[in-house]
Amino acid sequence: MEKMWAGRFQKELDREADDFNSSIHVDQRMFRQDIRGSVAHAAMLAKQGILTEQEGQEIIEALGGILQDIEDGALAIDPEAEDIHMFIESVLTKRIGDLGKKLHTARSRNDQVAVDIRLYLRDETAEILGLIKELIGAVAAQAKTNANIIMPGYTHLQRAQPITFGHHLLAYCMMLIRDCGRLEDAMKRMNQNPLGACALAGTTYNTDRAETAKLLGFDGYTLNSIDSVSDRDFCLELLSAFSVLMMHLSRFSEEIILWSSWEFKFVELDDSYTTGSSIMPQKKNPDMAELVRGKTGRVYGDLMALLTTLKGLPLAYNKDMQEDKEAIFDSIDTVKKCLRVFTPMIATMKAIPENMYAAAGKGFINATDLADYLVKKGLPFRTAYKIVGQTVARAIEEHKVLDALSLETLKEFSPLFEADVYEEISLQTCVSKRISAGGTGADSVAAQIEFVEDYLK
Ligand code: ARG
């Protein structure tokens, strides 16, 4: 295929080099955004008298036809084209002749690609935000169902204090809400129109960049033409936000994997989101959670790849920047796929309260509460802490949990222990007495659920 830029060359581009240079296999997915950007550009050119009304109209109609034909499958994107921008312009020229060649007036592929990526990422990020919100809804629903289910809370993966499963799940809702905030912040900064920056220095034509900004739904236009075509920090911001999101999903996955093991058996995943083994008939593997955990590495990799690609580039556009799309598209695809299986996996997950409760009953998880009991009877916390430490050592010796020690034994450690101690250190009391704001007590859990539900409204 003859290159649009062939004019100054005597020889054709080498085949292998041509293939190496081409980005159509990656950027063809932006065909809608490319056409949308061109329609706005043509409308602006006509409004400014750079094209006649008639010319603008004809170009816009032809672009609409191209969009329709690609959508319908009547027009295949040519894999031999250099990129999606060249492809659409060449089809336009084939369809309306020389007029098609006027579209690229006061524009360069450098600002064209910059606008296309932003439009594409804006659409995709909006979709991803919707998917995260669905996940938050699913987690909150599980938290509501399991608001009173007692489980061990851990630090260092050692049983620490009793909590409710609802409270534990709500921790993820809070993280995911911040993930949405990060994406929304990035979108705000990204939503500035780079079109009209042209190759790097602006143009001699009397363009109206505010007009294309308005037509394309941007909040305004970028103020420096060099920055407009050189900047990909909006891709990096999104990749960072996706990396943090994936880190959260990965931690959640890790817990689900642990909880589904026979060692824990706190939850049972639905058959639709687990797999069997080819050799071990008893297996029910949490592959979806493992894959989400695994794919987190890809997204981190995409972030690192693009940071590294950009770090040494002089201003303005360099072909290195063509690599941006593969990284950001891979992350978008990965994040979407992960969310699409993660949400129904969570929604269909069943808690096994007996096992959670039994695990919470072990491990001296109420030791802090035993110390608090003595503090309420007048001992300084450090003294109470020491006494309970000795009590725990005795319980270990006797192979008993704290609640199973007789009052007589307890009194050996402090005369302040009375019969009411057993009620005070029951798992139920330990949870219900954690009344501080944000704690695992029932009021706080209810307040958290309300907060999340309001957020989703
Ligand atoms: N395919 C190119 C990219 O994605 C489009 C911009 C090309 N600009 C240029 N001056 N060669 O970066």
Side-chain angles (χ1 to χ4, degrees):
M1 184 192 279
E2 191 183 41
K3 299 290 180 198
M4 283 184 197
W5 39 257
R8 81 153 335 271
F9 293 85
Q10 254 95 62
K11 279 165 73 182
E12 267 197 14
L13 183 59
D14 169 78
R15 239 211 97 77
E16 200 69 44
D18 192 11
D19 187 48
F20 186 61
N21 189 47
S22 154
S23 58
I24 188 89
H25 59 291
V26 176
D27 58 32
Q28 56 175 295
R29 62 161 84 187
M30 303 193 301
F31 72 88
R32 290 185 191 87
Q33 291 76 15
D34 193 73
I35 291 171
R36 189 168 172 208
S38 290
V39 166
H41 183 64
M44 182 277 291
L45 292 178
K47 180 176 162 279
Q48 295 300 98
I50 302 166
L51 294 178
T52 66
E53 269 311 317
Q54 170 69 27
E55 288 174 327
Q57 219 33 58
E58 227 178 292
I59 291 177
I60 290 170
E61 266 163 39
L63 285 168
I66 294 172
L67 177 61
Q68 197 57 52
D69 289 350
I70 301 178
E71 298 272 19
D72 296 347
L75 173 64
I77 294 174
D78 180 2
E80 299 290 310
E82 186 176 322
D83 57 28
I84 191 63
H85 327 293
M86 294 293 211
F87 171 72
I88 287 168
E89 196 184 324
S90 72
V91 177
L92 183 70
T93 304
K94 244 179 252 152
R95 291 191 176 184
I96 60 172
D98 277 353
L99 175 57
K101 299 180 183 170
K102 290 193 177 182
L103 172 63
H104 213 51
T105 312
R107 186 176 75 170
S108 150
R109 260 189 303 160
N110 296 349
D111 59 340
Q112 192 179 353
V113 71
V115 82
D116 289 6
I117 310 173
R118 286 171 198 244
L119 292 175
Y120 182 81
L121 293 181
R122 201 172 67 188
D123 293 346
E124 292 292 318
T125 308
E127 194 182 332
I128 288 175
L129 276 167
L131 291 171
I132 303 174
K133 287 179 184 167
E134 276 175 36
L135 172 59
I136 296 172
V139 181
Q142 282 282 11
K144 218 169 170 172
T145 314
N146 293 290
N148 302 315
I149 301 302
I150 292 178
M151 72 181 286
Y154 296 85
T155 64
H156 312 265
L157 202 57
Q158 302 284 321
R159 289 171 188 148
Q161 289 175 348
I163 54 171
T164 64
F165 190 37
H167 188 54
H168 192 110
L169 290 171
L170 283 161
Y172 285 108
C173 288
M174 304 305 167
M175 297 176 214
L176 293 166
I177 288 175
R178 288 194 298 277
D179 287 324
C180 289
R182 268 182 281 275
L183 288 172
E184 281 156 358
D185 284 350
M187 290 249 271
K188 259 181 238 146
R189 268 185 296 281
M190 178 172 78
N191 203 32
Q192 296 290 327
N193 179 25
L195 191 61
C198 304
L200 78 162
T203 179
T204 53
Y205 294 94
N206 175 32
T207 52
D208 182 352
R209 297 188 58 213
E211 175 68 11
T212 47
K214 195 180 83 197
L215 292 173
L216 295 171
F218 286 111
D219 298 329
Y221 56 86
T222 54
L223 294 181
N224 181 297
S225 62
I226 299 172
D227 172 51
S228 310
V229 293
S230 309
D231 154 47
R232 293 291 183 271
D233 55 14
F234 56 96
C235 296
L236 292 172
E237 280 198 62
L238 288 178
L239 285 170
S240 315
F242 291 148
S243 295
V244 178
L245 166 69
M246 288 301 296
M247 180 273 291
H248 288 150
L249 296 185
S250 185
R251 290 183 80 170
F252 203 168
S253 296
E254 168 67 13
E255 296 209 295
I256 287 166
I257 294 160
L258 280 174
W259 293 339
S260 324
S261 71
W262 280 109
E263 284 68 16
F264 280 79
K265 263 292 165 244
F266 286 180
V267 300
E268 176 88 33
L269 291 178
D270 195 78
D271 282 0
S272 347
Y273 297 97
T274 43
T275 61
S277 153
S278 58
I279 167 168
M280 298 166 282
Q282 83 283 13
K283 292 296 285 291
K284 182 174 176 185
N285 297 327
D287 290 34
M288 307 307 134
E290 291 170 88
L291 277 170
V292 169
R293 187 177 60 182
K295 284 178 189 292
T296 302
R298 286 179 80 104
V299 175
Y300 292 4
D302 291 331
L303 171 62
M304 276 305 132
L306 188 56
L307 277 169
T308 312
T309 296
L310 294 173
K311 75 180 270 287
L313 298 187
L315 305 183
Y317 178 85
N318 302 270
K319 194 64 174 239
D320 316 45
M321 291 162 70
Q322 181 164 283
E323 290 290 308
D324 59 355
K325 284 174 268 339
E326 227 164 319
I328 186 85
F329 293 172
D330 179 65
S331 277
I332 283 186
D333 294 347
T334 305
V335 165
K336 286 202 311 199
K337 274 190 214 153
C338 289
L339 287 167
R340 287 201 182 112
V341 295
F342 203 85
T343 300
M345 177 186 75
I346 293 296
T348 53
M349 175 179 81
K350 296 240 170 355
I352 309 178
E354 319 79 88
N355 292 350
M356 291 187 182
Y357 194 84
K362 297 176 203 146
F364 310 106
I365 207 160
N366 45 7
T368 316
D369 300 83
L370 191 62
D372 284 343
Y373 173 89
L374 293 175
V375 170
K376 279 173 198 151
K377 300 237 160 168
L379 282 190
F381 182 76
R382 275 292 156 231
T383 315
Y385 174 94
K386 192 169 172 197
I387 291 172
V388 173
Q390 291 158 348
T391 316
V392 167
R394 166 73 76 85
I396 291 172
E397 234 173 77
E398 293 189 13
H399 303 289
K400 282 180 176 163
V401 293
L402 288 172
D403 328 39
L405 293 176
S406 68
L407 189 56
E408 213 181 355
T409 313
L410 288 176
K411 276 187 183 294
E412 281 177 37
F413 294 94
S414 168
L416 294 174
F417 285 123
E418 303 286 352
D420 63 346
V421 66
Y422 297 104
E423 174 58 29
E424 283 299 296
I425 61 167
S426 76
L427 293 180
Q428 208 58 55
T429 313
C430 292
V431 167
S432 64
K433 287 218 164 158
R434 291 234 158 33
I435 52 167
S436 56
T440 197
D443 287 351
S444 154
V445 169
Q448 294 176 58
I449 292 172
E450 200 185 316
F451 170 81
V452 175
E453 285 177 347
D454 279 351
Y455 174 79
L456 292 176
K457 258 178 218 155

